[in-house]
Amino acid sequence: MKLDSKIPAGPLAEKWTKHKFNVKLVNPANKRKYDVIVVGTGLAGASAAASLAELGYNVKSFCFQDSPRRAHSIAAQGGINAAKNYQNDGDSVFRLFYDTIKGGDYRSREGNVHRLAEVSVNIIDQCVAQGVPFARDYGGLLANRSFGGAQVSRTFYAKGQTGQQLLLGAYSALSRQVANGKVKMYPRTEMLDLVMVDGKARGIVARNLITGEIESHSAHAVLLCTGGYGNVFFLSTNAMGSNVTAAWRAHRKGALFANPCFTQIHPTCIPVHGDFQSKLTLMSESLRNDGRVWVPKDKATAEKVRKGEVKPADIAEADRDYYLERKYPSFGNLVPRDVASRNAKDVCDDGKGVGSTGLAVYLDFKDAIKRDGEDAIRAKYGNLFDMYEQIVGENPYKTPMMIYPAVHYTMGGLWVDYNLQTNVPGLYALGEANFSDHGANRLGASALMQGLADGYFVIPYTLGDYLAQNPADKISTDHPAFKEAETGVKSQIEKLLSINGKKPVDQFHKELGHIMWDYCGMSRTAEGLKKAKKMVQELRDEFWKDVKVVGTSDELNMSLEKANRVADFLELGELMIDDALNRNESCGGHFREEYQTEEGEAKRDDENFSYVAAWEYNGPGKATLHKEDLVFENVKLTQRSYK
Amino acid sequence: MDLTLKIWRQKNSNTEGKFVTYEVKDISHESSFLEMLDVLNIGLEEKGEEPVHFDHDCREGICGMCSLYINGKPHGPQQTTTCQLHMRSFKSGQTIWIEPWRAKAFPVIKDLVTDRSAFDRIIQAGGYISVNTGGVPDANEIPIPRKIADEAMDSATCIGCGACVAACKNASAMLFVSAKVTHLGLLPQGKVEAKTRVENMVAQMDAEGFGACTNTGACAAECPKEIPLANIAKMNRDFIGARLTSENV
Amino acid sequence: MSWLTDSLKSSIFRKLLMALTGLFLILFLTVHLAGNIQLIFNDEGQAFNIYAHTMAHNPFIQLVSKFNFAFIVIHVIYSIWLSRINKTARPVKYGYSAASTNSPWTSRNMGILGTLILVFLVIHLKGFWWEFKNDSIPMITYDGETMPNVFLVVKAAYSNIWYAAVYVVSMFFVGFHLSHGFASAFQTLGLNHVKYTPAIKAIGKGYAIIVPAVFALIPILIYIKSLG
């Protein structure tokens, strides 16, 4: 299979403008003849559904939550990047492009990333017009802050709830179109299969989560905006319901899955407390702007801290190791996420970790409070501090916070071309569900940017191009392809309910999570990955023999929902391992211990691995690799250095 | 810690529900309330019984999906969301009552899960600014005083969980509706259609079967996002003004 | 005019009518108290009788009193209507409620307090207002002008311990009702402001204590006087 990224020819800065002119348009009167299915209502899904409906397409929007407003984009805290250069500090579209390419460790496409940087400025305009209450300065103009790894202040924010406000903006636009009758909303409905007719995506099969009914929906195109797959690790900062099912079922129908091993571990999460923990809570890494990361210099002190014999405040300055500032003098505490995370793991592995488990480092605001005053810190991070106190039961104004890395974002996803179309005609993937813009590592405050860029400003153009070239004739859900998909979905559900084994679904999920975290997490080795592959296979076999799913299929049944999702995670996990094993280099969020510099930094192999690894499904655990070579014409590949 | 739980079980919206008593043992005081329910559910599943259904998703206090009326209060004894409620707020040996939100406009779907789509319909009635994608002015074109932006943010922070309705003796949705009316009404962009917005949203609110506000203040006292009661006053003012002066006859 | 009928049906306008009529009744209460206070002057009811006589023959006051009755009726009818709607908004009650932790008792029991006040009002009107219209009241002449000696009726009533007690207890209900109603009316009217709301709340609390207290003081004093 030849993967054509369809990047337009011509100079980088003109590609998108030219492409927008070259795409075919659908006549305004004809738009109402086309139906579009949008799965997921996060930033990408809600913005796409609203924008397409505004253009005149008939949109059906699906989400598994009780309301489109609950999608997990809502939990993003820190902010959204845009190359507005309002601060006059040297930002530009090209700089945002460059930072994103470099931050992604040169594993993303130049064309996509430049487009992302270009439309970033429109996103802010759009959101302000919708009434998103971004933070402002006293003059009434928009405020910015610098954010993880960036040397310019280009991040727009709404307290520590930027994702919430952006999502509510997109949700309001979506709601407006629901009221207009251009969007039909299907909440508490989960997509369980993609339906293809004549090689094109023509609809989905979904389960009504309340009645258990299996429903078919036909359309002229299907957009998957279903987020990332971080929950394969069981413990992650994702919402409990976040899952890979929609993307995975599309993958099983032929859509390629790209770079699945690129997972981002977020450095500033609240540490794990116990076995029954269900999720990890992230705290915005904007905290690293003012907080200083440290651990005790010697292991003996760290041991005493873990036992509670010594309080962090009692440790003298001289006995603290501000390891990020020491190792990376120019970036200090603001090094990219993967670097910060790996260093935290290293110091903890070295026996200097704090907290009762030893799996935590301090993030200390003492100096910032001394410098700016407690009120200034409260104004910036008040809600984050409150959240921390709520969960941990300690006051971070008085005693340093404890943080530890956790799985947060997945750069991998369905392979898409420049038009966000997968290799299946008519099937698109937007936002975190695709792989396209972040390479091997995503910069802070760029996820929101990408989700909204895809939904508001890319898909309205590129989808039109596809629809204009396809007839508007409708397809009935009585078509054999729908019936076949329905039967498949029903038989899997029946199978899950009939196994009647001994282990609840959550146990399998937890075990899978442990395997993935231990062997395919922050650092990986060929040996460990091979072992993990076998373990996942065994676990998957056990799942299909011994899982216990109670209840019936014709009612609200959350065990069944989980079982469906975990079944897919059990296949995805193995693909992630295969991908990690294939990529014999370290880059961004993928760190192979065998491939590191003498200083312990990630060592890329541009000669052999400057490609997108797109995997084709041939049954569980069987995947064929297709490569899309990455071409860099505008940036010079350098080893990242944040020294 | 060991606890006795009295949980509302209801098969579906057509059947009657009742309280069922469960015992849970060895719960860590560090775990969250929902993690405590996870433990209960794993135990039930192992016994082949149906787990207690409850809504939850982000488990970090922002998505608004979790609910639960715990010991007579929405989201339990702390002014936070249930997912952010931790077991250290309870004592070993305690009996905890767990019920769904109760309101005509929030029918029970199953156990502790309710249908809050009424809130979506209220937003659809006008909780937006009518701008299409593209063609909007530069973000810095309209300066907005910081105080106004901050106040709008304080109202926009509503997570739509429905605790206000659950807490109110009249099951009134005034705090929820007023938060959106205030958020958009304070901003210059939102003033353009402020009158129509408040008229339509209140009409939808009434049509959904929520009760009327009697200013008890319970909603604001229980709101996990601390939406102030002043928002309701503002909405009253806006609504009365709009009704008297708008041209919608 | 559908906008008007629609408005009157909306939850906020129903509240608005409660607030406006409530505020008028509060105003009325003040005027009423100004008259009653003359009962405790040591003049064998002269001031009070003259006051009552003037009021009864002032066309403006008579008009206002008609409004007053109308407002009481509206206040009652709307409260019944509101309560019914509010009750149906929660068809299944909670098994366990801790409402006392999030709202004052008075705010949640305005209906009960209002009903008790209504019962009192019926007794009150029957005892005084109705009696005053009665021709059997002895007449009295001050400075050549003859008028009914209504003071005698009041004195007779309050010399009865049961009647005085009902009056005093009812004033507690009025106080509790006002303690929520006063500030609540302003909130309903949308008059909420960081600068003024604390003052409105404070005045409301003060009014809810002082006015019923003075009202209650009158029967107590008259009763004590009647003893000796």
Side-chain angles (χ1 to χ4, degrees):
Chain A
M1 193 184 303
K2 173 87 180 75
L3 293 177
D4 181 5
S5 64
K6 297 192 181 144
I7 303 278
L12 183 64
E14 290 166 27
K15 283 181 196 287
W16 178 232
T17 312
K18 269 172 74 182
H19 190 66
K20 279 195 285 186
F21 178 72
N22 288 331
V23 294
K24 302 210 166 33
L25 300 175
V26 180
N27 178 307
N30 283 340
K31 287 197 177 98
R32 71 175 77 99
K33 296 178 185 160
Y34 287 97
D35 303 331
V36 181
I37 284 173
V38 181
V39 186
T41 57
L43 288 179
S47 60
S51 302
L52 293 171
E54 285 161 11
L55 288 173
Y57 299 110
N58 308 309
V59 177
K60 285 182 173 185
S61 172
F62 294 80
C63 67
F64 70 80
Q65 297 93 340
D66 73 329
S67 159
R69 66 179 292 156
R70 315 270 188 227
H72 197 54
S73 304
I74 204 154
Q77 297 167 357
I80 176 166
N81 288 329
K84 280 283 196 187
N85 193 30
Y86 281 158
Q87 306 306 322
N88 196 30
D89 58 357
D91 199 12
S92 63
V93 167
F94 192 82
R95 188 176 293 280
L96 176 53
F97 153 77
Y98 181 79
D99 286 354
T100 308
I101 287 275
K102 181 187 173 204
D105 228 357
Y106 307 99
R107 291 294 173 264
S108 43
R109 289 186 196 131
E110 281 190 345
N112 282 57
V113 176
H114 196 275
R115 175 178 65 189
L116 177 65
E118 277 175 64
V119 302
S120 69
V121 297
N122 304 105
I123 296 171
I124 302 304
D125 298 343
Q126 185 64 33
C127 294
V128 166
Q130 287 172 342
V132 170
F134 283 122
R136 288 175 183 267
D137 288 325
Y138 286 105
L141 301 183
L142 291 158
N144 290 115
R145 59 183 168 205
S146 100
F147 206 81
Q151 288 183 307
V152 290
S153 289
R154 62 159 79 99
T155 305
F156 295 78
Y157 60 100
K159 277 199 178 159
Q161 291 149 255
T162 318
Q164 182 200 24
Q165 293 310 313
L166 296 177
L167 182 67
L168 292 182
Y171 162 74
S172 71
L174 176 67
S175 297
R176 179 169 157 247
Q177 293 309 317
V178 173
N180 279 352
K182 289 307 289 182
V183 175
K184 172 101 179 77
M185 195 63 230
Y186 294 86
R188 291 201 200 263
T189 307
E190 184 164 21
M191 166 177 163
L192 290 178
D193 208 356
L194 175 74
V195 179
M196 284 162 62
V197 177
D198 300 333
K200 290 175 184 168
R202 289 308 300 265
I204 63 167
V205 171
R207 181 168 180 266
N208 178 326
L209 299 182
I210 297 175
T211 62
E213 219 167 306
I214 303 297
E215 306 166 346
S216 281
H217 298 273
S218 79
H220 297 91
V222 175
L223 275 52
L224 299 185
C225 313
T226 50
Y229 49 85
N231 266 351
V232 69
F233 291 89
F234 185 70
L235 280 182
S236 81
T237 66
N238 284 7
M240 302 301 287
S242 301
N243 66 79
V244 77
T245 290
W248 194 257
R249 305 276 164 109
H251 174 56
R252 295 215 302 207
K253 281 283 169 87
L256 302 184
F257 209 103
N259 297 338
C261 80
F262 288 164
T263 44
Q264 182 168 78
I265 313 278
H266 196 289
T268 52
C269 299
I270 298 176
V272 179
H273 63 72
D275 281 347
F276 278 105
Q277 185 146 5
S278 57
K279 83 153 267 157
L280 296 170
T281 304
L282 169 147
M283 287 175 303
S284 166
E285 69 181 325
S286 63
L287 289 169
R288 285 198 282 145
N289 285 340
D290 286 300
R292 298 178 68 197
V293 177
W294 65 276
V295 288
K297 242 180 202 159
D298 64 291
K299 291 179 200 172
T301 316
E303 179 70 33
K304 281 185 194 156
V305 172
R306 289 196 286 272
K307 286 184 183 152
E309 293 163 8
V310 173
K311 293 254 174 303
D314 302 335
I315 301 172
E317 279 297 314
D319 297 329
R320 300 175 174 197
D321 181 11
Y322 294 92
Y323 58 90
L324 289 178
E325 295 172 21
R326 171 170 60 80
K327 288 170 79 175
Y328 310 96
S330 72
F331 278 73
N333 295 300
L334 293 175
V335 289
R337 293 176 170 178
D338 57 322
V339 179
S341 298
R342 217 158 36 240
N343 276 283
K345 181 181 188 303
D346 288 348
V347 294
C348 291
D349 287 353
D350 199 23
K352 292 175 184 169
V354 295
S356 57
T357 57
L359 292 175
V361 299
Y362 288 125
L363 180 65
D364 201 336
F365 288 85
K366 191 184 65 177
D367 295 331
I369 290 172
K370 208 184 279 172
R371 184 185 66 228
D372 300 337
E374 197 173 307
D375 288 343
I377 297 298
R378 179 169 284 119
K380 274 193 201 168
Y381 310 114
N383 60 331
L384 297 172
F385 278 40
D386 291 348
M387 184 173 80
Y388 180 86
E389 189 170 1
Q390 186 74 42
I391 294 171
V392 182
E394 285 182 357
N395 177 353
Y397 294 100
K398 301 272 177 269
T399 182
M401 277 184 181
M402 284 184 290
I403 55 168
Y404 198 67
V407 175
H408 171 54
Y409 186 89
T410 49
M411 281 72 69
L414 291 176
W415 182 89
V416 291
D417 62 18
Y418 190 69
N419 294 320
L420 305 181
Q421 184 168 238
T422 66
N423 57 308
V424 175
L427 178 69
Y428 291 76
L430 282 67
E432 194 181 347
N434 73 29
F435 87 104
S436 69
D437 295 354
H438 304 296
N441 178 46
R442 179 176 64 75
L443 289 184
S446 284
L448 303 181
M449 173 172 70
Q450 187 224 338
L452 291 179
D454 288 358
Y456 282 135
F457 297 109
V458 179
I459 201 71
Y461 293 90
T462 60
L463 183 67
D465 188 44
Y466 170 78
L467 294 176
Q469 298 174 61
N470 281 277
D473 59 324
K474 309 231 183 230
I475 199 160
S476 158
T477 52
D478 294 331
H479 190 281
F482 282 94
K483 293 296 146 207
E484 197 188 321
E486 282 180 24
T487 312
V489 164
K490 282 178 191 160
S491 71
Q492 169 153 346
I493 288 171
E494 275 158 29
K495 187 162 179 208
L496 286 167
L497 287 167
S498 65
I499 295 168
N500 203 12
K502 286 189 287 298
K503 247 198 228 180
V505 181
D506 259 359
Q507 296 287 3
F508 286 99
H509 196 180
K510 252 181 221 184
E511 282 174 40
L512 174 67
H514 276 302
I515 300 170
M516 298 305 290
W517 179 250
D518 289 345
Y519 300 106
C520 198
M522 248 184 295
S523 65
R524 301 140 181 201
T525 63
E527 197 193 349
L529 287 165
K530 280 176 195 152
K531 191 172 155 197
K533 185 173 163 73
K534 214 162 154 274
M535 290 166 82
V536 172
Q537 285 169 348
E538 284 164 7
L539 189 65
R540 194 170 57 228
D541 290 344
E542 193 193 340
F543 176 86
W544 287 106
K545 282 191 200 110
D546 199 28
V547 73
K548 186 172 193 79
V549 185
V550 291
T552 61
S553 62
D554 56 357
E555 60 177 340
L556 179 62
N557 185 340
M558 291 181 180
S559 311
L560 178 61
E561 291 166 27
K562 254 188 280 183
N564 255 320
R565 295 168 191 166
V566 171
D568 293 332
F569 280 136
L570 282 164
E571 294 188 4
L572 165 77
E574 192 175 348
L575 184 67
M576 289 169 69
I577 292 167
D578 284 340
D579 188 43
L581 206 48
N582 168 67
R583 196 166 278 279
N584 289 322
E585 63 162 352
S586 293
C587 61
H590 169 64
F591 189 79
R592 282 277 300 270
E593 287 179 20
E594 304 94 317
Y595 307 99
Q596 50 182 311
T597 65
E598 281 170 14
E599 295 153 320
E601 297 301 328
K603 197 166 143 196
R604 284 200 326 268
D605 180 353
D606 293 329
E607 203 160 313
N608 296 306
F609 289 95
S610 189
Y611 64 76
V612 176
W615 299 87
E616 184 187 349
Y617 185 84
N618 296 315
K622 294 186 204 78
T624 315
L625 175 66
H626 300 277
K627 297 177 185 177
E628 178 206 331
D629 286 324
L630 292 166
V631 185
F632 295 93
E633 294 166 336
N634 300 277
V635 295
K636 198 171 149 283
L637 274 60
T638 58
Q639 196 68 39
R640 285 192 313 170
S641 170
Y642 293 93
K643 293 263 167 203
Chain B
M1 58 204 292
D2 302 340
L3 299 156
T4 303
L5 307 173
K6 293 203 177 285
I7 302 180
W8 184 262
R9 301 297 310 255
Q10 185 171 338
K11 181 103 182 107
N12 54 45
S13 51
N14 303 322
T15 51
E16 299 258 309
K18 63 172 193 298
F19 285 99
V20 178
T21 307
Y22 298 96
E23 306 284 335
V24 285
K25 297 206 182 310
D26 297 327
I27 300 294
S28 157
H29 69 281
E30 281 185 60
S31 66
S32 73
F33 194 84
L34 296 183
E35 284 163 2
M36 181 275 291
L37 289 179
D38 290 343
V39 174
L40 169 73
N41 276 346
I42 287 184
L44 289 175
E45 282 184 322
E46 278 169 348
K47 282 192 277 177
E49 290 177 38
E50 262 209 87
V52 176
H53 279 64
F54 57 91
D55 268 326
H56 64 107
D57 200 25
C58 79
R59 294 209 178 182
E60 48 188 280
I62 194 76
C63 76
M65 188 123 173
C66 65
S67 51
L68 306 190
Y69 200 77
I70 301 162
N71 275 353
K73 285 162 77 73
H75 296 304
Q78 307 277 332
Q79 196 179 352
T80 180
T81 56
T82 297
C83 65
Q84 294 295 291
L85 176 66
H86 285 73
M87 295 314 292
R88 55 179 164 270
S89 301
F90 299 89
K91 286 193 221 59
S92 192
Q94 203 177 337
T95 298
I96 305 177
W97 290 72
I98 309 171
E99 302 177 61
W101 282 178
R102 294 198 192 277
K104 186 172 139 202
F106 290 166
V108 172
I109 294 173
K110 181 172 185 170
D111 294 343
L112 305 167
V113 176
T114 57
D115 177 0
R116 286 169 287 185
S117 54
F119 272 9
D120 287 322
R121 288 189 292 274
I122 292 173
I123 296 294
Q124 285 156 18
Y128 46 75
I129 291 172
S130 299
V131 288
N132 282 357
T133 303
V136 297
D138 185 87
N140 258 347
E141 186 116 332
I142 313 167
I144 300 173
R146 182 171 169 163
K147 195 159 180 329
I148 298 289
D150 286 351
E151 256 183 74
M153 178 65 206
D154 288 343
S155 299
T157 195
C158 166
I159 57 175
C161 64
C164 44
V165 175
C168 178
K169 73 183 257 287
N170 310 321
S172 165
M174 290 282 277
L175 195 66
F176 167 77
V177 182
S178 69
K180 189 48 68 189
V181 166
T182 305
H183 157 216
L184 296 176
L186 281 172
L187 299 170
Q189 305 92 304
K191 286 201 198 298
V192 180
E193 45 192 338
K195 287 181 186 174
T196 315
R197 176 182 308 120
V198 70
E199 287 186 308
N200 291 345
M201 289 181 77
V202 169
Q204 187 64 36
M205 173 184 83
D206 288 347
E208 294 289 350
F210 292 104
C213 174
T214 52
N215 304 326
T216 67
C219 52
E222 298 290 7
C223 173
K225 295 294 154 186
E226 298 173 31
I227 306 287
L229 209 55
N231 281 2
I232 295 184
K234 179 174 160 47
M235 179 164 81
N236 292 339
R237 191 163 70 229
D238 289 355
F239 180 77
I240 294 164
R243 263 332 215 171
L244 297 177
T245 64
S246 81
E247 293 178 359
N248 306 320
V249 285
Chain C
M1 289 295 271
S2 72
W3 73 271
L4 189 61
T5 45
D6 279 357
S7 297
L8 291 172
K9 276 188 267 174
S10 84
S11 59
I12 294 180
F13 264 69
R14 284 194 298 255
K15 277 157 46 86
L16 179 67
L17 279 172
M18 290 299 289
L20 290 175
T21 50
L23 281 177
F24 181 85
L25 296 176
I26 286 172
L27 203 65
F28 162 74
L29 222 50
T30 317
V31 177
H32 190 341
L33 184 63
N36 283 23
I37 226 127
Q38 302 173 69
L39 284 166
I40 55 174
F41 293 172
N42 219 351
D43 62 355
E44 277 305 311
Q46 182 178 356
F48 183 74
N49 281 334
I50 293 172
Y51 163 80
H53 184 66
T54 318
M55 293 302 245
H57 290 85
N58 183 324
F60 175 70
I61 294 294
Q62 284 306 300
L63 184 70
V64 171
S65 88
K66 298 282 181 300
F67 272 109
N68 196 30
F69 274 111
F71 287 163
I72 291 173
V73 171
I74 291 174
H75 199 78
V76 170
I77 289 176
Y78 262 80
S79 71
I80 293 168
W81 190 13
L82 266 172
S83 305
R84 285 177 61 104
I85 290 169
N86 290 346
K87 279 237 154 26
T88 55
R90 177 164 295 135
V92 183
K93 301 278 165 265
Y94 286 113
Y96 184 111
S97 175
S100 60
T101 58
N102 59 33
S103 51
W105 184 88
T106 49
S107 75
R108 284 178 280 117
N109 291 282
M110 291 296 275
I112 293 173
L113 290 166
T115 310
L116 291 168
I117 292 168
L118 187 65
V119 170
F120 163 73
L121 210 60
V122 171
I123 298 170
H124 181 61
L125 289 176
K126 170 79 183 65
F128 297 133
W129 183 78
W130 184 254
E131 288 294 319
F132 291 174
K133 304 229 155 202
N134 205 329
D135 293 340
S136 62
I137 293 177
M139 304 301 274
I140 191 164
T141 306
Y142 301 111
D143 299 330
E145 197 172 348
T146 306
M147 58 190 75
N149 191 352
V150 290
F151 176 73
L152 279 183
V153 182
V154 177
K155 202 170 124 182
Y158 289 163
S159 301
N160 176 335
I161 182 149
W162 293 111
Y163 201 98
V166 164
Y167 200 107
V168 171
V169 169
S170 296
M171 283 310 109
F172 277 94
F173 303 150
V174 172
F176 286 129
H177 198 74
L178 284 172
S179 79
H180 176 68
F182 191 98
S184 178
F186 286 87
Q187 165 83 3
T188 297
L189 288 167
L191 302 174
N192 186 311
H193 193 280
V194 278
K195 281 182 183 157
Y196 311 116
T197 298
I200 290 170
K201 282 189 176 161
I203 293 169
K205 292 279 175 238
Y207 189 93
I209 294 169
I210 293 165
V211 171
V214 177
F215 266 117
L217 198 63
I218 295 163
I220 293 173
L221 287 178
I222 293 177
Y223 177 71
I224 291 170
K225 231 174 168 180
S226 76
L227 294 177

